[in-house]
Structure formats: C-alpha cells, structure tokens
C-alpha cells in the first residue's frame, strides 16, 4: 500500500497490532512510541490512515442512524405510502405499515449498535476531543490580550 518502510520493525509490528492507537496506554510508556511516530514516516502515515478510517466509520454509522430515524418520521406522517401499497401492490395497509416501521426500527437499532461499537472499539472519541482541544488552543492564542485575561485558567 505504501512504498515507505518502517524504521523499526519490532515497534512497527506492535503499533500495527494496536492499529496505531497509543491513546490507551500510560503516558510514561507512550513516550517511546510517540518518538517512533516522530522518526518513522511509514507509521505516521499508517496512523493517519487508521484514524481517518475510524472517523469515517463513525460518520457513516451516525448518518445511517439518522436516515433510519428520518424514514420512521416520514412513515409516521405521509399517507401516500399507504396509497401506493394499497393500489399498486394491493397489500394490506396495516401490514405494510407495520412491516415498514419494523424495518425502520431494526435499521435504527443496528445503526446505533454499529455506532456504539465504533465509538467503543476505536479511539475516535479521544481523537476528536484532542483535535477539538488543539483547535480551541489555536483560537485562544489568536485572541487579543484583553479577552485572554477574562478567560478562566
Ligand atoms: Zn515505524
């Protein structure tokens, strides 16, 4: 996938096993791995790839959950669905409605479970809160002194 090679195969293999996530280990143990990320462009690239994959999964599962929620809201309010089912497919209105609602609820439940799995098994929450903290720090540094002095420390 990438042309670069890891500078330290042993550390590289350990990091690969963790999907390049070192947020779960103690800060004092983390130093060597952080140093490796600084020195090794290969592992740095892999780490970036895995974190964007995690964020993509979280975004997709939450989108999926909101689409199912939207579908349920639509089913609740729109009568043409009943009209379509009755006239074109000659289905029983109540049965069709229940079938669609069940499918919507099942989809919503699976999406929420998927999102929960992504959030618990990947470092997405840590990654995003670190990124937010970094952004806040940058913004804070840009503020004029008069406003900075008002901020709580
Ligand atoms: Zn490496």
């Amino acid at each position: 996938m990438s042309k670069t090679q890891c500078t330290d195969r042993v550390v590289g293999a350990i990091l690969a096993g963790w999907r390049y996530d070192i947020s779960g280990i103690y800060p004092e143990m983390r130093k060597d791995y952080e140093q490796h990320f600084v020195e090794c462009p290969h592992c740095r690239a892999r780490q970036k790839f895995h974190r964007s994959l995690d964020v993509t999964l979280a975004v997709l599962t939450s989108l999926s959950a909101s689409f199912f929620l939207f579908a349920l809201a639509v089913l609740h309010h729109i009568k043409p669905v009943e009209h379509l089912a009755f006239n074109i497919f000659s289905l029983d209105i109540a049965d069709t409605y229940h079938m669609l609602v069940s499918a919507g609820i099942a989809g919503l439940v699976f999406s929420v479970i998927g999102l929960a799995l992504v959030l618990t098994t990947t470092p997405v929450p840590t990654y995003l809160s670190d990124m937010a903290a970094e952004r806040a720090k940058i913004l804070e540094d840009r503020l004029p002194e008069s406003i900075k002095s008002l901020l709580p420390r």
Side-chain angles (χ1 to χ4, degrees):
M1 190 167 175
S2 91
K3 291 176 203 90
T4 55
Q5 283 283 320
C6 182
T7 55
D8 185 335
R9 289 280 174 88
V10 178
V11 179
I14 293 169
L15 287 171
W18 292 339
R19 291 184 69 245
Y20 302 90
D21 169 32
I22 54 167
S23 59
I25 59 177
Y26 292 112
E28 55 266 28
M29 285 170 70
R30 213 183 287 172
K31 282 200 181 81
D32 292 340
Y33 297 112
E34 279 169 349
Q35 185 59 35
H36 182 75
F37 279 127
V38 171
E39 290 163 357
C40 178
H42 173 79
C43 288
R44 210 164 45 232
R46 301 297 298 156
Q47 185 189 34
K48 204 172 173 192
F49 169 74
H50 279 279
R51 291 306 76 81
S52 38
L53 203 68
D54 293 343
V55 171
T56 308
L57 276 176
V59 168
L60 284 179
T61 47
S62 42
L63 271 180
S64 162
S66 41
F67 281 136
F68 277 113
L69 206 60
F70 179 71
L72 285 173
V74 167
L75 274 179
H76 201 73
H77 291 286
I78 293 185
K79 294 287 170 193
V81 174
E82 292 176 8
H83 175 80
L84 186 85
F86 189 70
N87 288 324
I88 297 171
F89 300 111
S90 53
L91 295 169
D92 181 58
I93 292 171
D95 279 355
T96 308
Y97 181 76
H98 284 293
M99 190 180 73
L100 290 172
V101 168
S102 305
I105 289 171
L108 180 65
V109 167
F110 279 119
S111 309
V112 169
I113 290 172
L115 179 62
L117 283 176
V118 168
L119 292 182
T120 50
T121 57
T122 67
V124 167
T126 327
Y127 178 69
L128 290 180
S129 63
D130 284 355
M131 204 152 68
E134 229 167 79
R135 281 259 155 227
K137 179 99 182 64
I138 292 168
L139 284 177
E140 206 182 301
D141 288 344
R142 285 189 195 154
L143 289 174
E145 276 309 320
S146 55
I147 296 173
K148 264 191 211 173
S149 60
L150 297 174
L151 291 172
R153 285 283 145 202

